[in-house]
Each structure stands twice: as structure tokens, then as C-alpha cells.
Amino acid sequence: MEVVDNQQTFAQIKRILNNHSTLLDAYSLLEPIILDLFGAQRMSIFQRRRQHQDLVARFKTGKETLEIKVPISPMSIAGYVALSQKAIIVADPYNPSLLQNIHPRLRFADKFDKDNDFKTQNILCVPIMNAGVMMGVIQVINKNSGAFSEEDLKLGNALALILGDKFRFELGGTNNPFDLLVHKGLLEEATLKELQESTPDIRALVQRLISEYRIAEQEIGNSLSIHYQVPYIPYLPEKYHKFENDSRLNVSYLKRNYVAVIADAHDKPIVLMAEPNNAALLMEIESAMGIDTYEIAVSLPNLILQYLGENSGGGAPGEMSDILDEIGTSTEENDEHVDELSDDAPAVVRLVSRILHDAKRLNASDIHIDPEKNAPTRVRMRVDGVCRDMNQVPNSHHSAVIARIKIMSNLNIAEKRVPQDGKLAFRMNGQLVEVRVATIPTVAGEGVVMRILASGGAMPIDKMNLAPNNRARLEEMIKKPHGILLVVGPTGSGKTTTLHAILGYLNTPEKKIWTAEDPVEITQPGLQQVQVSPKIGFTFANALRAFLRADPDIILIGEMRDKETAHAGIEASLTGHLVLSTLHTNSAPETITRLLDLGLDPVNFSDACVGILAQRLVRTLCGNCKEKYVATDTDLAFIERQYGKEHMAELNITAPLEIYRAKGCEECGNTGYKGRTGVHELLGMTQELRSLVYKEASVAEMKKQATNDGMRTLVQDAIFKVLKGDTDLAQVQIVGGE
């Protein structure tokens, strides 16, 4: 009779589930039925979150708790059952030795009991499975009479089967790891069945899908992801690296089971598996690693082997020439029958990774991927301020390379008509490198420009290569308790680096420093750094107003982009704060005119301004091959003309004057230059100059007065760097526009 009653109860549960779209909707009706079925006091039904390594109970008995999140790990009873995929009965959850007999790290979280004056006495916990995939856990608490029995365990397993069907529907799961390929029309159902029967090895099966049926790796990965309810991770060596603790695991064991333990840019461990439903294997990995929190992801066996170093040079992207050979340099660029590589093809993945690694190795500031009509795509890099041709990619594979970069940058790969901005990150030699990405549609196709952002701490002010006079005057300016200091110059002239060098000099425990930047490129301990986001209305001006309510001593504003920000900066400096900011102008005197044109009050600005530092970057001579020579009469005449005859005495030039020029060697790529250094123009706001600002005098008048006050122009400072041996006269001509 009891068996019949149970069957009727299960039929009733199925009807309720079928009549409601989600388990949450049906929960209030199911709860009393299930508790009566087991003769228990409380229950929890945990559902796996889609693409996450945790469980969520959104429906609880009683009113005390509406939602509980539990990681899939041995750190809780429900988490352990989800991980092991084994049903258990816990006679006394408060007995540590009993729990440790189940798993050495199993714990009972008693927070709910304490918060609700409740005592958990015994627990029945059963995994909810469907098609071999863990979908959730049902936990029944406190049998009304006695302890949970084997009969209760059977009831729990039967109930879990019913709930599993509902969960699979809610999570959008599939019955077969490759069902999505059938649903998309990429494979016939009968063909899939034949393949799985004839090819039981997962690696061989995937290889057949790729080679024989020409199904892209991404499509297969997506199908596995939907089935196993975990993220799919392709081979991304620039984004993921080997987890440092995986040395405890035998590589042969990992390869045999198609498992790799990797980590993202934040060193969060990820267990990458070809078959994530293998609970026994996962338990072994988890036990060997001894880690409490990690993610699980699925990948293809061949990609997992690449993470383990097989056929990939230990994870390195490979030599550019080898990658291009693999892609092929067919001259039939216009042949419509040439198959384009997909964005997830191994060669494309390694090509993009190689480009990024080469750029970082060469200390390039920018990478340009320029499409050409009916010609190969050009890959250029800006090294020491000059663009260099690096490689050519076959035109037929341009789209795959662009799509790959877009995927890495979380951009819309389908949108090719409008520019897009994004950001990606990769690791090189253990260092995280961030890259700002901009795509721009051209008549020949989409072009991409990638800016490699500065990483690490601030440059010490001693390394800025300031002339002694400029160094002394700058230190005097920034020691003032209030006022505004502007660093000006074109894009890429090192303004942010200079500002952070100044902040590094000022950064002491006695000072509260706030910065608003877009983006935050350089981080320093002790600074409160904020990333502005104009898209959501969080502008520099808004950030500045917020800082004024946060007890600042020093404020850095990334850029005076508009009248509102400029006004706010001046007001902040006049109310007792030192404000640092940047502006895109060509020289220090021109900056004054530019700000007055924005509508700033001349009196307020001149009172607030402590100084303006204009700068450029010039190429430095290669220390290995720079060539000393005696300056010619033409050189001397050029120096005198540019520096000014009236100031020549301060250079202390003695005849014969020996200076350096570029030569070229293997170390500098036969350019003669290696690295860049700054040339500076520092204007101090003296009383005489302040009077000219009041009158809104011309740039020429203000420049003349600033020079009399001790300012030396960019060209004059560049000549000083020539005499030091840092650079040559060719770079002076570039700074002077000759």
C-alpha cells in the first residue's frame, strides 16, 4: 500500500511541475508534499546556477531564508554531494569525525541553525542528475521519528530524477554532449549516434567532427558547454596560464584524462576538463590540489593538451614564420574558393598571441592591423614613437584575425559598420599586460589599433631625466600646499607617466591622494584611484566634485577635457588642494591661452596656477652603438640658432664639441635608437607673468616673460639632452618642426 501511495505522490509532484514554468513557482505546493513523503521537518532544493560552480537554494521551508548560495566543494554537505554526485545520509552533522569519514574537509555550516534557533539533527542529501550531468541537490532535514533510512534514500533518488527533468528544462540543457550540433543542423542525429558508437574516445570523436564534418571548434565547445552547464574555454595562452600549484599533479595522468588546471589573470584556478561530469576524476584533482575554491570549465581534448604543453612549445604561441607558413601565404587572395580560417582556429589563436607577445617584447606602444584592398594585411608596431612594418597576413584570413581580437576584447564580432572600443589582457613571463583595443571600419575592411597600456608602478622622479634647473623648480612647485600644476603635450608624450612620477614623490602617509583617470594605467599603493566612465555619466568633473567631499590633500584629474572640468579644477585648487592634470596643447605658454579661451577667469587661473610642464618624447641613442663625432660648423650654427645666442653661455660648450649620432646595430634593430626620454618646458607662474595673464596678453609676450623667468623651451631642453649624449640633433629637428 505504501508503494502505491508513493507512486501517487510522485505522479502528483510531476503534475505540479508540469503546470508551473519554474520550480520556484511550484515550490509552495511541493514543499508540504515532499516533507510528508519523507516525514521530515525542513528541506532545501539547490539548483545549479548556469555556467557557475555553485548552487542556489531560492526556495526554503519557513520564512527565515529566501536564498542561500553554496559552492560546489567539500566545504558544505550540499556542495560535497554536488561535487561527488553521491547521495549521503548524515546521522549527526555536528559530529566532526563522522563528517571527516565522508571527506577530510567536509564541514557543516551551522549559521542557519544559529540565526534561526534551530537544531539540525540529521540530513538526507541527494544529487539531482539528468543525462549524467549534475543539476542540483535536494536536502531533507530532521526525520520526525528516528533516522533517515535506505528506503528514504531510494525515495530521494526517485524524486531527484523527476526534479532533474525540470532542472534540465529550466537550464536549457541537452541529453547528449553534441545535441546542439544536431539542433543547429551541423550534424544528422543518426550520424551522431553512429559516430559515438564507433568512436568511444572523446579526443578521436572531436577530431572526426572537425576534420571529417568540418565543424568549428567553437561550435563543438558551445555544445559541450550547454550540455555540461559549465563555460567553454578555447586555447587562449594570452589570457590563461598554468596554475602554479598544478605541479602536484602528474602530467601523464592529466594528459591521459584530458584535464588541465589553469588560472586567469587574477590567478583564479580553473579545472579544465573534456568531460566535466566525471565526478570521481574531479574529486581526485580537487584532493590532490588542496584548493577550496575553483571554477570548472569544458574544453576540447586537443586544446587541453596544448595547455599541458603538447605540440605548443609549452604554451608559447610559436614563431611568427611558422604560424604564417601554417596559415599559408597563397597568392590566390581573390579566389572565392579559398576557405577563411575561423576565429578559433589554432593558427589564428597563435598568430594573434604571437603579435601581442612580439609587441610587448619590443616595448611597442601600439599595434596597427591595417587591411589593404586585394593585398595582404599589414601588421605594424610603433616602437620608440616610430611605426615599423612587422608582418603580413594573407588577406583571406584578415577577418578571422579581427574576429579573434574582438572576442578577446568582448566586442561585437557581428558589428563591422561602426567603430568599437574594448580591452583585453594577456600574460607574458608571468606579467599581466593590458591592451586597449579600437576597431575602425575602412573601405578595405576593419582595421584594429591596440594600445599596450603601461603596467607596474610609477617611474621614480629621478628617472624622468629632468634638467637640473627644471628638477629644482618642479620640486619647489609641487611642494606647495595648494594650486594647480598642468602637464601638457600631445597624445603619447608621457604625460600620465610624469604625473605618476610626481605623485610617487608626493605620496606619503600624511597625504590623502585621489586620482580620476581614464583608464587607470599605473597603480600605486597609498593612492585612491578611480576609473571614470563618461558612458554612465561619471565624468572627470563629477569625480572631482566627489573628491572634494572626501577630505583630499592632492587630486589628480586625468585630463581637462572641457570647460566644466577646468572650472572645477581651478575651484578645487583655490580651496586649499593641490590639483594635477593634463591638457593637449603644444607648449606651456599656449596652454594659458587655451584655458582662457575655455572661459576661465584670468585672475582665478593665474592665482591658482603654480606651473605648466610641457613635454615631448624623443628617441634615445642606442648605448651599444652610438657614435661620437666632432660637431661640424653647421651643427654648431644649428645649436646656437635653436638655443638662442643670449643663452649659449649656460651650456658651457668648449671646443672641439663632441656629440653623438645614430649608427645602428643588431641590438637596436639597426635603427641606432633604443628607448625614449622626455624633453621638458617648465613654466612657473611669477608675478610678472601673472600680470600678463590678467591682461590676456599674446602667447609670444608670455613666452618671452617665461623665458626671462627661467623657462627653457622644448627645443632648448632637447639640445641639452644632445650635449649629454642622450639623443642626437636629428631628434632636435623633429621637436623643433624643422
Side-chain angles (χ1 to χ4, degrees):
M1 185 66 181
E2 185 177 348
V3 174
V4 174
D5 289 343
N6 290 342
Q7 289 175 346
Q8 291 176 346
T9 299
F10 288 139
Q12 184 182 8
I13 290 172
K14 286 181 180 179
R15 284 196 300 273
I16 292 172
L17 289 173
N18 290 335
N19 290 333
H20 294 80
S21 58
T22 67
L23 187 64
L24 179 60
D25 296 334
Y27 188 78
S28 61
L29 297 175
L30 292 176
E31 181 185 47
I33 298 172
I34 294 174
L35 289 178
D36 184 62
L37 176 68
F38 289 96
Q41 294 179 6
R42 291 179 180 270
M43 74 173 200
S44 303
I45 299 180
F46 292 89
Q47 188 171 18
R48 183 181 196 153
R49 282 206 302 157
R50 184 185 286 111
Q51 305 282 314
H52 285 79
Q53 186 63 8
D54 61 16
L55 305 167
V56 178
R58 295 190 178 90
F59 9 83
K60 299 288 295 179
T61 300
K63 300 179 180 179
E64 297 87 348
T65 305
L66 295 176
E67 180 176 293
I68 293 179
K69 287 183 182 178
V70 175
I72 300 176
S73 79
M75 303 307 290
S76 69
I77 291 172
Y80 168 76
V81 168
L83 180 67
S84 65
Q85 299 176 15
K86 293 179 181 178
I88 61 172
I89 294 174
V90 181
D92 180 6
Y94 284 93
N95 186 334
S97 60
L98 191 152
L99 296 179
Q100 288 175 13
N101 286 337
I102 299 173
H103 190 282
R105 291 191 290 137
L106 184 59
R107 300 288 183 271
F108 172 63
D110 61 354
K111 185 177 185 302
F112 178 84
D113 283 11
K114 290 179 178 178
D115 291 346
N116 296 278
D117 194 24
F118 181 79
K119 178 66 181 293
T120 300
Q121 297 170 341
N122 46 44
I123 298 173
L124 168 68
C125 200
V126 180
I128 299 171
M129 307 290 294
N130 185 273
V133 178
M134 193 280 298
M135 295 286 179
V137 168
I138 180 167
Q139 187 168 269
V140 186
I141 300 170
N142 288 3
K143 185 81 171 174
N144 288 327
S145 57
F148 288 107
S149 64
E150 290 297 320
E151 190 61 35
D152 291 318
L153 204 57
K154 291 178 183 178
L155 288 175
N157 287 326
L159 176 61
L161 289 175
I162 298 171
L163 293 173
D165 287 334
K166 187 66 175 178
F167 279 14
R168 181 172 64 84
F169 174 78
E170 286 191 32
L171 293 171
T174 55
N175 280 319
N176 187 293
F178 304 101
D179 269 358
L180 188 63
L181 303 180
V182 176
H183 296 331
K184 285 188 171 185
L186 300 173
L187 200 65
E188 294 292 334
E189 188 172 357
T191 304
L192 174 60
K193 184 178 180 182
E194 185 277 325
L195 277 171
Q196 289 184 307
E197 289 175 353
S198 62
T199 317
D201 179 69
I202 182 68
R203 183 184 184 187
L205 175 58
V206 168
Q207 194 56 46
R208 288 189 66 185
L209 290 172
I210 295 171
S211 59
E212 296 179 27
Y213 297 91
R214 301 183 65 80
I215 299 176
E217 289 180 345
Q218 186 70 40
E219 293 285 2
I220 300 172
N222 290 341
S223 183
L224 296 175
S225 174
I226 292 295
H227 177 71
Y228 291 117
Q229 294 295 309
V230 296
Y232 164 66
I233 295 181
Y235 182 59
L236 303 172
E238 70 283 353
K239 189 172 182 180
Y240 300 100
H241 61 281
K242 184 179 179 182
F243 184 57
E244 59 183 12
N245 284 347
D246 79 342
S247 57
R248 303 178 188 179
L249 300 168
N250 183 280
V251 176
S252 298
Y253 169 83
L254 294 174
K255 288 183 177 181
R256 187 167 61 252
N257 290 286
Y258 304 125
V259 179
V261 184
I262 59 176
D264 60 13
H266 303 289
D267 286 324
K268 180 176 66 177
I270 302 168
V271 179
L272 201 59
M273 307 177 72
E275 297 175 293
N277 64 336
N278 190 333
L281 177 61
L282 187 57
M283 290 285 286
E284 289 179 6
I285 298 291
E286 184 269 340
S287 178
M289 296 291 291
I291 49 179
D292 295 331
T293 57
Y294 55 90
E295 296 292 327
I296 297 175
V298 68
S299 193
L300 308 189
N302 59 310
L303 303 184
I304 291 173
L305 293 177
Q306 287 190 53
Y307 277 112
L308 294 172
E310 189 169 297
N311 300 323
S312 64
E319 291 301 321
M320 181 65 77
S321 58
D322 295 337
I323 298 170
L324 291 175
D325 285 344
E326 182 177 341
I327 289 178
T329 53
S330 170
T331 56
E332 301 176 25
E333 300 289 355
N334 299 315
D335 188 348
E336 62 183 12
H337 300 295
V338 174
D339 289 330
E340 290 199 6
L341 290 179
S342 66
D343 54 72
D344 63 346
V348 172
V349 171
R350 295 204 308 278
L351 173 61
V352 173
S353 181
R354 181 75 271 167
I355 290 171
L356 292 169
H357 279 69
D358 284 349
K360 182 61 179 174
R361 178 176 54 82
L362 293 169
N363 287 321
S365 60
D366 300 89
I367 305 167
H368 296 257
I369 299 180
D370 301 328
E372 301 281 349
K373 272 196 171 182
N374 304 321
T377 294
R378 297 170 68 195
V379 178
R380 298 189 294 164
M381 297 180 189
R382 189 176 295 278
V383 181
D384 297 337
V386 178
C387 269
R388 294 188 195 174
D389 270 316
M390 302 302 295
N391 307 103
Q392 292 187 339
V393 177
N395 179 269
S396 57
H397 305 317
H398 172 81
S399 296
V401 171
I402 300 300
R404 173 68 187 154
I405 294 170
K406 282 184 169 183
I407 288 171
M408 293 170 65
S409 311
N410 293 318
L411 299 178
N412 183 354
I413 62 173
E415 181 56 77
K416 301 179 181 180
R417 301 164 299 174
V418 296
Q420 297 185 67
D421 295 313
K423 200 172 183 181
L424 63 86
F426 68 98
R427 276 189 176 271
M428 181 173 174
N429 299 327
Q431 179 189 6
L432 180 65
V433 182
E434 293 187 320
V435 181
R436 195 164 56 202
V437 178
T439 69
I440 303 175
T442 74
V443 293
E446 277 190 290
V448 171
V449 178
M450 294 182 277
R451 164 66 57 90
I452 299 178
L453 301 178
S455 58
M459 174 190 290
I461 201 167
D462 295 334
K463 301 289 186 181
M464 283 180 58
N465 200 16
L466 288 162
N469 180 50
N470 283 339
R471 169 69 183 270
R473 294 171 64 228
L474 180 63
E475 286 187 6
E476 183 182 346
M477 292 173 186
I478 61 179
K479 285 178 180 176
K480 294 182 179 180
H482 55 82
I484 186 166
L485 174 72
L486 297 172
V487 179
V488 303
T491 301
S493 59
K495 298 186 296 295
T496 300
T497 302
T498 295
L499 282 177
H500 273 277
I502 293 171
L503 286 182
Y505 180 81
L506 297 172
N507 188 7
T508 63
E510 295 79 24
K511 299 284 177 62
K512 179 61 179 282
I513 303 175
W514 287 93
T515 79
E517 302 168 76
D518 184 20
V520 176
E521 297 182 30
I522 301 170
T523 57
Q524 295 191 58
L527 271 57
Q528 296 297 303
Q529 296 179 261
V530 173
Q531 167 88 48
V532 300
S533 181
K535 290 181 180 179
I536 61 171
F538 186 37
T539 62
F540 282 119
N542 291 339
L544 182 50
R545 283 191 286 269
F547 292 167
L548 292 176
R549 298 190 294 270
D551 189 29
D553 292 300
I554 301 169
I555 297 172
L556 182 149
I557 297 297
E559 185 181 341
M560 293 274 187
R561 287 182 177 172
D562 49 41
K563 180 179 179 179
E564 183 184 12
T565 308
H567 274 286
I570 296 300
E571 289 173 11
S573 66
L574 290 172
T575 54
H577 308 96
L578 181 62
V579 178
L580 310 177
S581 191
T582 71
L583 203 65
H584 288 92
T585 54
N586 292 323
S587 69
E590 285 180 33
T591 304
I592 299 173
T593 304
R594 170 77 177 278
L595 288 171
L596 296 182
D597 288 344
L598 280 177
L600 294 187
D601 179 69
V603 175
N604 285 345
F605 172 71
S606 60
D607 288 345
C609 182
V610 296
I612 301 172
L613 177 67
Q615 71 176 55
R616 296 287 190 282
L617 293 178
V618 296
R619 303 174 80 185
T620 52
L621 294 168
C622 173
N624 187 57
C625 68
K626 66 180 181 180
E627 185 177 57
K628 183 185 288 188
Y629 73 103
V630 176
T632 65
D633 291 342
T634 303
D635 293 336
L636 290 170
F638 174 79
I639 291 172
E640 184 175 296
R641 184 173 70 253
Q642 293 293 332
Y643 202 86
K645 192 172 183 179
E646 65 276 20
H647 301 297
M648 284 294 291
E650 66 191 34
L651 294 178
N652 296 318
I653 293 176
T654 57
L657 174 63
E658 291 185 327
I659 54 178
Y660 292 87
R661 60 189 169 199
K663 183 179 180 182
C665 66
E666 186 175 339
E667 190 171 315
C668 62
N670 292 313
T671 63
Y673 301 96
K674 192 172 184 181
R676 290 188 290 176
T677 191
V679 293
H680 307 94
E681 177 178 288
L682 182 59
L683 176 150
M685 189 60 69
T686 62
Q687 191 56 51
E688 292 78 12
L689 184 57
R690 191 170 281 117
S691 298
L692 292 176
V693 177
Y694 290 164
K695 296 186 293 184
E696 299 187 40
S698 67
V699 172
E701 289 177 287
M702 287 189 282
K703 179 179 179 181
K704 182 179 180 181
Q705 182 59 54
T707 302
N708 292 336
D709 293 336
M711 182 188 83
R712 293 297 173 260
T713 65
L714 292 167
V715 171
Q716 288 174 318
D717 194 51
I719 289 173
F720 174 75
K721 303 291 167 61
V722 169
L723 301 183
K724 276 184 65 186
D726 294 337
T727 190
D728 60 7
L729 291 176
Q731 294 298 302
V732 177
Q733 291 176 324
I734 293 173
V735 173
E738 293 195 3

